[in-house]
Amino acid sequence: MRTDLFRRRLVTGFACIGAGAAMPCCLPHQALAANHQNFALSEIADGVFAFRGKNELMTPGNEGAICNLGLVVGDEAAAVIDSGGSLVQARAFIAAISEVTPKPVRFLINTHMHPDHIFGNAAFRDIGATVIGHKNLPRALEARGAFYLRNYRSQLGEALMEGIEIVPPAQLVADRAEFDLGGRVLHLRAWKAAHTDNDLTVYDAATGTLFTGDLVFMEHLPTLDGSLLGWIRQMDALAAIDAQRVVPGHGPIAADWPEALEAQRRYFEVLAGDIRQAITEGRPLAETVKTAGRSEASNWALFDEYNERNATAAYAELEWE
Amino acid sequence: MPACLGTTFRTGGGTEMQVSASWNRRLAIVAAAYLVVMAGSLADLSGPAAAQQSPTSSERIWTSLKGDVFGDRPILADTGLVRIEAPKRAQDAAVVPVDVYIDPAKAPDGVKSVTMIIDVNPSPVAATFQIGKEAGVTHLSTRVRVDDYSYLRAIAETQGGELHMSQTFVKASGGCSAPAVKNTDEALASMGRMKLRQFAPAAGETAGNAPELQLMIRHPNNSGLQRDPLTQYFIPAHFIQNFSISQGDRLILAMEGGISISEDPNFRFDFAPGAGSEIRVEATDTEGKVFRDQWPLEAAGL
Ligand SMILES: [Zn+2]
């Protein structure tokens, strides 16, 4: 790993000199953070770090860094939650990790199939991490991987796409699984189709921190690529998880739980309500998607980018009710 | 890609109807032609642009494949007899709504069939719809997968054998919406379920003013362009290859199609109802499974 390539800096003002130096562990955790250009890793609980993605589409300008990423450090090893939207971002992430812990990254947990969460996988595989995912993730990536690699070439640009591979998980979670980082156990849970059909959550019992992946969106409009009904149906079970704080897939990196679910719950109700009414009235899909959910526009970032698409998927699903 | 196209267009079980076998041969020819064209376009494009199709490259693919679909028959463009509509940008690449309209004034003898083409898709011939004589179908909506920037085309064949074409350019969806099945477990669990909705004529003096039917078939309509994660073998394509919908002995609409039709194939069209009999549907998929159902013609409003 060529950490010397990255400028090292601490927001606390401590200088970190020398490549590969381990960070002192005596810093108060709220203050410990690592920056690499636009990659800032914040410690949100003891040994739990998160990167906040921008509420944007993936572009060359943001290097694909649009979703939240996580790091949990145990006594023996660390686990990373999602790898980011490009190898450039993933490498910056790895550099930032080396500033906060000398422990090896033993696991990369993919919360689901989307490119902003998995395009950095190869960088973590290359430092020896085992990739973990939902049992449906390999199938989903087989069906989409080639499309993602082609489609994002125009969106992210050739330079950022260079070297990006679809790296499927080596270890699968069918229902629940636990991964021990040494004195710290991560609880993984596979969900039925919701945001996608391969959503996985990660719960750090030591601090009560829940990484939801894109099962929870805040600020950024939720995107539907699985099952709206499944998502709505499972939201109570999600809310029942006894968490102190949540790291949603998009939005603030530490939010109150389960209050974090409220905005998306309301959006889904409005969207489903509008579409059900249109279906009852016999209004066709093409016409319905132009207006369904519109009253939620001012509550979300990227509403115009994703709402019609959500409405399209939701209409096709709700028509079978 | 080439390796899996072979399985995509394989013929299904031995119990297939003759029409399906001939259709599969035709699809195979079109797929082969498409591969040649793709190889050509990849060879003469280089750099970043190679990834994305354009009106020019879409047109080039069409020029090469139309002979395989229609031989050297002349195709009349933009005569107004047929019109295709789709969103300028696909919101969800897996579910792109398409509408085809036929102007009965320009086709006094009626239209025999409509073929829907998506130039850049791995299976460019999305479907051919056969319209029953005096079935009164003038508007047909369905949903298709669109893999990249592409022209969508509707080619109508009149009873007299003329071909008329309308086309519209669709930009691929941005971002992570892929033309793939969203909820595979559910699609397989409820496969073969059918639903028929009947709509009374729209109130007022709207054009056509005929009742409508909407046929929905639960099916993954799977592309087969993916590997089984455990065995690493390519999963064979699995899709609805034909259906017919009739009232009594009278054919209203039939389709022969492939993987460019969205999962849970969905067709809505107007029709001229005859007296009495119920609506019957029979559909067949590539595994030779036959799905049948029937519904009484709803008296209310029809
Ligand atoms: Zn996502």
Side-chain angles (χ1 to χ4, degrees):
Chain A
M1 196 173 60
R2 300 174 62 194
T3 48
D4 55 313
L5 286 178
F6 299 100
R7 201 153 42 88
R8 296 166 158 271
R9 179 156 48 94
L10 281 176
V11 290
T12 51
F14 284 81
C16 173
I17 298 159
M23 282 315 302
C25 293
C26 53
L27 292 171
H29 67 248
Q30 286 82 3
L32 184 61
N35 266 359
H36 158 69
Q37 292 163 0
N38 51 14
F39 198 96
L41 202 52
S42 312
E43 189 164 19
I44 56 168
D46 194 18
V48 181
F49 299 80
F51 166 82
R52 182 180 172 144
K54 292 197 166 96
N55 292 332
E56 295 175 1
L57 300 174
M58 290 165 78
T59 62
N62 60 35
E63 297 178 338
I66 62 156
C67 75
N68 296 338
L69 308 174
L71 168 72
V72 181
V73 182
D75 291 342
E76 291 161 19
V80 160
I81 294 115
D82 286 335
S83 62
S86 67
L87 288 177
V88 171
Q89 191 200 3
R91 286 178 190 134
F93 190 7
I94 290 168
I97 292 168
S98 74
E99 290 185 6
V100 298
T101 179
K103 311 271 164 58
V105 177
R106 188 175 293 162
F107 305 111
L108 163 63
I109 302 162
N110 283 150
T111 60
H112 65 291
M113 67 189 180
H114 283 146
D116 48 333
H117 300 258
I118 62 145
F119 267 6
N121 276 15
F124 287 91
R125 177 202 58 197
D126 292 349
I127 60 164
T130 298
V131 184
I132 300 167
H134 190 291
K135 72 163 184 346
N136 288 343
L137 182 59
R139 178 178 74 188
L141 291 175
E142 275 294 344
R144 293 167 176 80
F147 177 85
Y148 286 159
L149 292 176
R150 178 164 51 89
N151 197 282
Y152 276 89
R153 192 148 284 146
S154 52
Q155 192 172 328
L156 274 178
E158 287 293 317
L160 274 177
M161 287 303 292
E162 179 74 37
I164 290 181
E165 297 170 51
I166 301 296
V167 180
Q171 205 159 338
L172 304 181
V173 180
D175 178 22
R176 290 170 198 252
E178 294 180 355
F179 290 88
D180 194 346
L181 304 176
R184 176 166 221 155
V185 176
L186 293 181
H187 301 259
L188 274 56
R189 182 163 168 187
W191 296 77
K192 293 200 168 65
H195 170 63
T196 66
D197 75 356
N198 47 84
D199 300 315
L200 192 65
T201 55
V202 181
Y203 179 71
D204 171 49
T207 61
T209 305
L210 175 66
F211 293 87
T212 61
D214 284 1
L215 279 176
V216 181
F217 278 80
M218 298 175 76
E219 300 171 5
H220 177 305
L221 189 77
T223 64
L224 175 60
D225 207 359
S227 163
L228 180 61
L229 293 173
W231 203 343
I232 292 171
R233 221 179 282 132
Q234 292 178 101
M235 218 142 23
D236 288 340
L238 197 59
I241 294 174
D242 184 22
Q244 298 298 308
R245 72 189 62 73
V246 67
V247 183
H250 297 264
I253 48 175
D256 292 339
W257 188 249
E259 292 82 356
L261 282 169
E262 278 167 18
Q264 75 176 32
R265 204 192 283 269
R266 188 195 56 231
Y267 170 65
F268 293 155
E269 276 166 18
V270 169
L271 184 67
D274 289 355
I275 292 169
R276 284 185 175 121
Q277 189 183 343
I279 291 169
T280 306
E281 290 169 2
R283 300 212 320 266
L285 183 151
E287 177 192 321
T288 302
V289 299
K290 292 187 182 126
T291 56
R294 277 264 140 218
S295 61
E296 278 283 309
S298 61
N299 298 328
W300 299 97
L302 301 172
F303 185 88
D304 289 338
E305 283 76 5
Y306 291 116
N307 183 61
E308 266 192 53
R309 181 181 128 196
N310 290 343
T312 302
Y315 186 107
E317 182 183 2
L318 294 175
E319 231 177 351
W320 284 94
E321 281 187 312
Chain B
M1 262 326 198
C4 38
L5 279 167
T7 58
T8 304
F9 300 104
R10 90 206 192 290
T11 47
T15 56
E16 280 176 16
M17 288 174 283
Q18 205 181 340
V19 61
S20 307
S22 76
W23 174 250
N24 276 344
R25 270 199 301 280
R26 190 164 147 207
L27 276 178
I29 291 165
V30 172
Y34 171 76
L35 279 179
V36 171
V37 175
M38 284 309 284
S41 18
L42 291 176
D44 61 31
L45 288 169
S46 56
Q52 202 160 60
Q53 302 289 351
S54 64
T56 313
S57 64
S58 183
E59 193 66 38
R60 189 163 58 223
I61 293 169
W62 164 241
T63 304
S64 302
L65 75 84
K66 70 179 171 190
D68 294 302
V69 187
F70 297 105
D72 54 7
R73 300 167 64 189
I75 300 175
L76 307 166
D78 304 319
T79 57
L81 183 141
V82 63
R83 177 164 55 89
I84 188 167
E85 282 181 10
K88 286 192 169 36
R89 178 175 284 280
Q91 296 293 334
D92 182 340
V95 183
V96 180
V98 194
D99 288 276
V100 175
Y101 298 88
I102 294 160
D103 183 352
K106 298 212 159 115
D109 300 330
V111 160
K112 189 150 72 172
S113 70
V114 174
T115 298
M116 210 177 269
I117 306 256
I118 304 165
D119 295 346
V120 310
N121 276 13
S123 172
V125 181
T128 291
F129 297 94
Q130 188 194 339
I131 299 171
K133 262 199 165 150
E134 284 150 32
V137 177
T138 63
H139 173 205
L140 168 70
S141 313
T142 188
R143 300 163 195 174
V144 296
R145 297 188 168 108
V146 180
D147 286 36
D148 202 338
Y149 286 41
S150 183
Y151 277 113
L152 269 57
R153 304 169 192 276
I155 294 106
E157 178 168 6
T158 63
Q159 295 292 349
E162 279 177 5
L163 299 174
H164 295 254
M165 179 171 80
S166 168
Q167 65 196 51
T168 185
F169 194 71
V170 175
K171 291 182 175 175
S173 69
C176 51
S177 124
V181 182
K182 287 187 181 61
N183 189 352
T184 305
D185 294 336
E186 173 68 23
L188 289 170
S190 54
M191 190 171 68
R193 204 180 130 204
M194 283 194 255
K195 196 164 161 178
L196 185 81
R197 295 191 74 196
Q198 305 187 35
F199 302 97
E205 286 299 305
T206 52
N209 203 25
E212 288 178 284
L213 295 177
Q214 182 180 14
L215 172 64
M216 300 159 62
I217 308 171
R218 270 284 202 206
H219 203 285
N221 234 46
N222 215 349
S223 70
L225 305 178
Q226 52 188 297
R227 246 187 297 260
D228 183 304
L230 298 176
T231 64
Q232 293 298 309
Y233 288 118
F234 278 104
I235 298 165
H238 184 201
F239 56 89
I240 294 285
Q241 59 184 9
N242 59 60
F243 75 78
S244 68
I245 178 162
S246 42
Q247 187 192 5
D249 294 334
R250 203 170 67 105
L251 174 73
I252 301 172
L253 189 72
M255 181 213 72
E256 295 175 31
I259 55 167
S260 290
I261 297 289
S262 300
E263 69 184 281
D264 297 338
N266 193 310
F267 312 92
R268 181 167 167 167
F269 47 91
D270 59 350
F271 78 118
S277 310
E278 55 198 5
I279 306 287
R280 284 189 296 112
V281 173
E282 181 170 313
T284 312
D285 77 4
T286 44
E287 290 183 353
K289 291 199 187 76
V290 180
F291 310 107
R292 290 190 186 88
D293 213 335
Q294 52 192 44
W295 301 264
L297 190 68
E298 283 170 11
L302 294 186

